[in-house]
Amino acid sequence: MSSFAGRFEGFLEAAAFDRGPWLVVAFAAGIGAWFYFGAAWQWLLIIATSLSVAALAAIAWKTRDDRPYSHAALVSLALAIALGVALVWARSSIVGAEPIPAPRFERIDARILGREEQPAEGRVRLTVAAREAETGQALAYRINIPLENDQPLFREGARIRLSARLMPPSPPIVPGAYNFARRAWFDGLSATGSAVGSIELVEPPPPSELSLASIQRRLSAHVRSHVDGTAGAIAATLASGDRGAIPEADEEAMRDSGLTHLLSISGLHVSALIAAAYLLVLKTLALWPWLVLRVRLPLVAAAAAALAGIGYTLLTGAEVPTVRSCIGALLVLVALALGREPLSLRMVAIAAGVVLALWPESLVGPSFQMSFAAVLAIVSLHNVQRLRDFLAPREESWGRRLARRMAVLFLTGMVIELALMPIVLFHFHRAGVYGAAANLIAIPLVTFVSMPLVALALVLDLVGAGAPVWWLVGHSLDLLIGIAHLFADLPGSVKLAPRIGMGAMALYLAGALWLALWQGRPRLWGLAPIALSAALMASAPVPDILITRDGRDIGVANEAEALLVLRDSEGGYAQDNLLELAGSEDAPVLISQWQGSRCSDQFCTLRLEREDRTWIVLVARNRDLVEERALAAACTQSDIVIADRYLPRSCQPRWLKADRRFLDREGGTALYLSQERIETVARDQGAHGWWRARR
């Protein structure tokens, strides 16, 4: 053991082990463990085990004369894990909002807390605070109102009275789908809904209302008034972070072409703004010789760029990617001012640690994961010595210099795409394949053309001379939209995937972090778990049957060329989720029209062949009354019965009865017939507040 410990110490020293980034990884692992495990005793066990390991390692460290580095690392990493579990648990208990118990229609007297304009959806989304009629408890609701019922005075601080249909925040509709209930829990929302009828303004907002939200809305409206169509909506996004006016078709094209990150104010936008502010202030002040001789201009320029970055972050909504980018950019400015290396893993780790300390729940969201994965990939790649040598200045023509820069840009895009694709497939079940090529054109276009033009147009608007520049903005963004549709429409442009297991995702994250954070040859060991996770993701099975949480929609895969569905609801939320989880892009086929089914007015019977076994599936088509004896006989002859109603106890199929009682308890369900395996939403949620309250 002593020899092994010595070799391990030598390995850490030879690999240039940097404890700082790994502390943040351990902190994030503790947060992730709280989300993965669903019971309080499990959370307490993790905390107790981590503290015990830290205590034993600390005792061993103090009793040894050589004070081994590995013991100190073990103490700090174990404490970081315990801190992560405790922090997210405490935040959930403090900010979590109990959802309403059931859907209801209610007359609400509420105060507006937030307003989000979504003209592309034909609505305005209000976040309001109201009191429960029976208990008087203060609750927050998110309510959609149609544009025709909107008024300019419906903004923060106003008091309104309206009738609304309210729903508890929705858990995943099927296993692997988006969990809005979890996000609503941490956002403090108890219900969502839509307004019905007219809305009465009881009390107008304060007359001196001048908030960041109002400035953002005015700026967005100003930009859209000068640039029409989708180009104007994207220009408004670049200026204010408001994405509500982008049409769904264009947003989908941006996503499928790998360019959707350009619509989310993040590292690219914040870095471009801060870099432009830094260079502009530095070069402008350098024209004043008296100041150059007396003031260190990089410090002044860094301060001005920091103020610009902070202002832009606040103006665009201070979302997680923006905050991360702003923190990282500020650290870069500090490093530049002090003459230190600006792009380092410690800089990324500090930014991640700050974001997780403030919003630990952001760890499980795609925004945090994609944002930090991309930055980590860039920093790790550009810290490779061979790439540094390739980019080093040398005597050569401008053409060769440009070619080297373009080659590195393409390589960076490829690395980012490879780093992000598993995360995108895990969360969204579809990813653009040609993102690296599309970004090779789109990123320089947005960074060096569109964004500077938007900034210049806004400045010229102060004297009423921005119209010609707005014309150029529109054409540059029309080109961006054209690039998005070009790559999105190419054959094989989208990779679809069914639900990816947490084991495969954990393997990928472990391998990617090892590859990024270690130095030298040991970092290559991370390729093994990455390769294994890729194999698991590629072989992830498609569920044979998907049942939504209310039982009204089902999808049957692996039986025909297209997904079989119970109801024709093209473009509906339920059907879109069924298609995504089944990994299908083809138009679905109704079960009643499939040759392998027999349907009456009340039920459909399907025969599904799986590995030498025939499964008989009985599916209810409606809630019409059926004679109980006939239903019991049909259930006896079936392996699976699916219904959106409560079935009598006399209905006893051979394997599973997924009726209203089962679905109320378990939520959306996925069936894997070949493995005789059942996965439910309830199994993934445990005793977390957003699911416990629902039950």
Side-chain angles (χ1 to χ4, degrees):
M1 290 296 294
S2 177
S3 175
F4 173 79
R7 288 197 299 269
F8 185 65
E9 287 286 332
F11 166 75
L12 293 180
E13 184 177 353
F17 178 74
D18 188 352
R19 194 175 6 172
W22 286 105
L23 284 175
V24 179
V25 171
F27 181 52
I31 297 172
W34 184 85
F35 282 101
Y36 182 76
F37 296 101
W41 69 266
Q42 294 173 318
W43 307 332
L44 290 172
L45 180 61
I46 295 172
I47 294 175
T49 303
S50 300
L51 293 178
S52 300
V53 169
L56 292 174
I59 293 173
W61 183 73
K62 286 187 175 182
T63 56
R64 294 186 56 169
D65 295 333
D66 54 350
R67 299 291 175 92
Y69 187 73
S70 58
H71 286 56
L74 189 59
V75 171
S76 55
L77 293 175
L79 290 176
I81 292 174
L83 179 60
V85 176
L87 178 65
V88 68
W89 191 358
R91 178 161 171 81
S92 174
S93 302
I94 294 171
V95 307
E98 294 284 334
I100 61 175
R104 66 193 186 201
F105 186 87
E106 186 174 322
R107 185 70 176 171
I108 302 173
D109 190 317
R111 184 79 62 178
I112 298 177
L113 302 177
R115 172 188 173 95
E116 181 183 356
E117 297 179 355
Q118 298 180 323
E121 303 291 336
R123 68 191 182 193
V124 172
R125 177 169 285 171
L126 300 179
T127 301
V128 301
R131 292 198 174 274
E132 180 96 34
E134 297 179 359
T135 64
Q137 179 185 4
L139 300 176
Y141 303 143
R142 196 184 73 180
I143 298 176
N144 297 325
I145 63 174
L147 286 178
E148 56 267 22
N149 291 346
D150 182 37
Q151 297 183 27
L153 292 177
F154 291 168
R155 60 176 189 260
E156 292 82 359
R159 181 183 164 198
I160 57 176
R161 189 174 291 128
L162 72 158
S163 299
R165 298 188 186 94
L166 298 177
M167 296 281 294
S170 301
I173 192 170
V174 287
Y178 176 59
N179 193 349
F180 176 67
R182 182 177 64 199
R183 176 175 176 178
W185 174 267
F186 285 100
D187 286 347
L189 297 176
S190 296
T192 62
S194 56
V196 178
S198 60
I199 304 172
E200 177 187 355
L201 179 65
V202 179
E203 181 181 328
S208 59
E209 189 260 345
L210 185 62
S211 63
L212 286 171
S214 66
I215 296 173
Q216 181 189 41
R217 287 195 296 268
R218 292 172 188 173
L219 181 58
S220 176
H222 174 80
V223 173
R224 285 187 278 115
S225 68
H226 285 80
V227 184
D228 297 329
T230 305
I234 296 178
T237 300
L238 298 177
S240 66
D242 178 15
R243 297 175 55 173
I246 301 175
E248 183 179 355
D250 293 318
E251 190 159 7
E252 184 174 335
M254 295 286 288
R255 180 189 64 190
D256 291 344
S257 61
L259 302 179
T260 191
H261 66 94
L262 298 176
L263 303 180
S264 175
I265 303 301
S266 57
L268 174 67
H269 310 80
V270 176
S271 301
L273 177 76
I274 289 180
Y278 181 86
L279 292 175
L280 181 63
V281 173
L282 185 66
K283 299 299 183 183
T284 302
L285 294 181
L287 299 176
W288 190 1
W290 182 89
L291 189 66
V292 172
L293 297 174
R294 291 166 176 80
V295 178
R296 191 178 176 191
L297 295 187
L299 289 176
V300 179
L307 291 176
I310 293 172
Y312 188 57
T313 299
L314 295 175
L315 180 63
T316 53
E319 299 291 338
V320 169
T322 322
V323 173
R324 187 273 307 159
S325 304
C326 184
I327 294 172
L330 294 180
L331 292 173
V332 169
L333 289 175
V334 172
L336 288 173
L338 298 177
R340 302 288 296 275
E341 171 61 41
L343 293 178
S344 67
L345 294 174
R346 284 203 168 194
M347 179 269 289
V348 181
I350 293 173
V354 171
V355 172
L356 290 177
L358 296 175
W359 304 284
E361 69 275 9
S362 66
L363 174 74
V364 295
S367 178
F368 177 92
Q369 295 174 14
M370 294 172 64
S371 176
F372 277 96
V375 174
L376 195 59
I378 293 172
V379 174
S380 299
L381 177 64
H382 285 263
N383 281 337
V384 174
Q385 188 59 44
R386 288 187 179 179
L387 187 65
R388 286 173 173 260
D389 295 340
F390 183 74
L391 284 174
R394 64 194 70 177
E395 291 292 335
E396 61 182 352
S397 65
W398 68 268
R400 291 179 62 86
R401 187 182 303 111
L402 178 62
R404 284 193 298 112
R405 300 286 179 180
M406 295 299 290
V408 171
L409 181 61
F410 182 76
L411 176 63
T412 303
M414 286 291 296
V415 171
I416 292 174
E417 285 298 313
L418 292 174
L420 295 186
M421 186 168 289
I423 300 174
V424 173
L425 291 176
F426 179 80
H427 288 283
F428 306 111
H429 314 290
R430 60 185 294 152
V433 176
Y434 303 125
N439 278 286
L440 186 64
I441 307 171
I443 289 180
L445 173 64
V446 172
T447 306
F448 301 114
V449 179
S450 299
M451 286 191 66
L453 286 175
V454 170
L456 178 60
L458 290 173
V459 172
L460 292 178
D461 275 348
L462 297 176
V463 294
V469 183
W470 285 123
W471 182 84
L472 294 174
V473 169
H475 281 280
S476 70
L477 293 176
D478 284 335
L479 178 59
L480 174 66
I481 298 164
I483 293 170
H485 282 279
L486 172 65
F487 284 95
D489 294 339
L490 289 175
S493 62
V494 177
K495 166 65 177 174
L496 299 176
R499 184 190 187 192
I500 295 173
M502 184 57 68
M505 194 62 190
L507 274 173
Y508 166 74
L509 292 175
L513 287 170
W514 185 280
L515 189 64
L517 299 184
W518 284 105
Q519 301 295 325
R521 289 189 175 182
R523 74 188 314 171
L524 298 180
W525 296 355
L527 294 176
I530 291 176
L532 180 57
S533 68
L536 293 175
M537 291 179 185
S539 61
V542 174
D544 294 289
I545 301 177
L546 287 163
I547 310 169
T548 59
R549 59 174 175 263
D550 57 5
R552 291 182 54 81
D553 292 275
I554 73 167
V556 180
N558 304 322
E559 196 63 30
E561 292 184 358
L563 183 73
L564 304 177
V565 295
L566 183 61
R567 291 178 173 83
D568 186 9
S569 55
E570 183 179 357
Y573 178 74
Q575 188 174 109
D576 288 346
N577 275 270
L578 294 177
L579 289 169
E580 285 181 358
L581 270 299
S584 174
E585 277 192 304
D586 298 325
V589 175
L590 288 175
I591 290 175
S592 59
Q593 298 176 358
W594 181 52
Q595 60 182 5
S597 67
R598 294 184 296 107
C599 295
S600 66
D601 292 338
Q602 290 81 28
F603 284 88
C604 279
T605 301
L606 294 80
R607 299 176 64 87
L608 307 178
E609 303 290 339
R610 296 291 185 275
E611 294 186 0
D612 301 328
R613 175 175 177 179
T614 300
W615 294 79
I616 308 299
V617 183
L618 184 65
V619 183
R621 302 184 67 184
N622 50 50
R623 297 186 178 184
D624 294 346
L625 293 177
V626 181
E627 199 273 323
E628 183 176 355
R629 183 174 298 178
L631 176 60
C635 291
T636 303
Q637 299 173 10
S638 303
D639 297 289
I640 303 168
V641 177
I642 303 171
D644 61 345
R645 66 174 92 173
Y646 295 100
L647 295 178
R649 296 187 181 277
S650 57
C651 176
Q652 293 295 328
R654 290 188 285 263
W655 190 54
L656 174 67
K657 181 170 74 173
D659 66 344
R660 186 65 177 270
R661 185 176 292 104
F662 173 88
L663 295 173
D664 282 347
R665 183 180 72 251
E666 300 294 335
T669 302
L671 307 180
Y672 299 83
L673 301 183
S674 299
Q675 307 166 28
E676 297 190 16
R677 178 162 57 95
I678 302 173
E679 290 189 357
T680 65
V681 169
R683 195 186 73 170
D684 297 334
Q685 307 305 312
H688 292 103
W690 55 88
W691 183 258
R692 182 186 66 247
R694 178 180 181 273
R695 298 185 65 183

